Amino acid sequence: MCKICETKPVYEFTNKRRVCKNCFIRWFQKKVLYTIKKFSMIKRADVIGYVSGECFRDEVLEDVLKYYDNKAPIEIIKLKRSHSNIPIIPKSVDKLAISNNLDVVGEKVIITLLDNKISNLKLKPVEDKIIRPLYLFLDKELLLYAKLKKLKFKVFKKNKNKLSSFIDDLEKKHPEIKRAIVNSYLKLV
Ligand SMILES: [Zn+2]
């Protein structure tokens, strides 16, 4: 049961706390505000570009940027996706928001660590003009948010190689491992 509303839970955190739909959405949106503030991602009157996409992470990013736009004096602009992963940032745009979250960053950190190239990683919450408002969320939290908010998205099959299966396996045994790895990475850089 959701402790606050005494209604059916839709999510359970690692510490066993359960939340209902409304409490989950509120928790999610508050955490976005917290992330943007904690890492000083956005200033007053900033023009924030973001890339349109079909992946659930991009859909959630768009939704939370619109949510933030209603609360703060900023401007958001949808940019066209280019062939490379990170698009060219137009001059009129102050920051480019991208949808990298804990799962994406955690996995890239592990792969790079195993490759011994950690200093080449550009995966901090803020890198020059790039901001990552979903930095502290897991995929399962983004997916649930997208479903609860009835966002339209396509589910892409993950390219499963040996290494990503190994990481998924680790995550099952140690549910907080990606969060721990990303926290260690932040201390390292
Ligand atoms: Zn509730």
Side-chain angles (χ1 to χ4, degrees):
M1 280 292 181
C2 174
K3 267 196 181 157
I4 301 165
C5 319
E6 298 191 336
T7 46
K8 198 167 74 82
V10 294
Y11 192 67
E12 183 181 290
F13 295 100
T14 334
N15 66 7
K16 305 280 182 232
R17 185 167 75 95
R18 291 176 176 177
V19 285
C20 71
K21 177 185 167 180
N22 288 336
C23 290
F24 178 82
I25 290 174
R26 212 175 305 128
W27 166 81
F28 195 100
Q29 292 171 336
K30 264 189 174 173
K31 190 159 175 168
V32 171
L33 297 181
Y34 165 82
T35 309
I36 290 172
K37 199 169 165 224
K38 178 181 166 75
F39 298 108
S40 312
M41 288 183 175
I42 296 174
K43 287 198 308 247
R44 269 184 88 85
D46 264 353
V47 178
I48 309 294
Y50 65 98
V51 177
S52 61
E54 293 169 324
C55 164
F56 65 95
R57 296 189 195 105
D58 296 327
E59 291 300 322
V60 171
L61 178 68
E62 178 172 31
D63 185 86
V64 299
L65 285 175
K66 282 179 181 164
Y67 168 76
Y68 191 80
D69 187 29
N70 282 332
K71 302 210 143 241
I74 59 158
E75 197 184 323
I76 56 173
I77 295 175
K78 193 171 190 163
L79 305 171
K80 271 217 176 107
R81 179 175 286 280
S82 70
H83 290 292
S84 70
N85 276 338
I86 290 171
I88 302 149
I89 306 174
K91 278 238 166 73
S92 56
V93 166
D94 296 305
K95 310 264 170 63
L96 175 72
I98 59 176
S99 63
N100 290 171
N101 68 336
L102 264 182
D103 286 83
V104 173
V105 176
E107 192 168 312
K108 278 188 188 161
V109 169
I110 296 172
I111 289 167
T112 313
L113 271 177
L114 293 173
D115 259 356
N116 215 353
K117 285 181 197 143
I118 191 81
S119 55
N120 295 346
L121 266 189
K122 295 251 177 286
L123 284 175
K124 280 179 284 183
V126 178
E127 292 278 0
D128 196 18
K129 279 193 163 191
I130 306 277
I131 60 171
R132 298 181 163 92
L134 305 179
Y135 204 78
L136 302 176
F137 292 102
L138 294 166
D139 271 350
K140 61 177 178 184
E141 292 164 348
L142 299 189
L143 269 171
L144 179 59
Y145 183 86
K147 276 180 199 156
L148 295 177
K149 294 276 287 186
K150 297 191 167 63
L151 306 178
K152 280 191 187 129
F153 62 90
K154 287 178 187 164
V155 178
F156 292 96
K157 263 202 194 142
K158 216 171 147 186
N159 283 329
K160 280 272 179 187
N161 55 34
K162 264 191 182 169
L163 203 54
S164 56
S165 310
F166 164 75
I167 295 164
D168 284 348
D169 198 41
L170 267 183
E171 178 83 24
K172 266 180 211 133
K173 287 175 192 151
H174 312 277
E176 291 289 298
I177 195 148
K178 278 181 191 152
R179 201 186 303 279
I181 285 163
V182 171
N183 283 338
S184 310
Y185 166 68
L186 281 177
K187 278 182 203 151
L188 212 69
V189 293

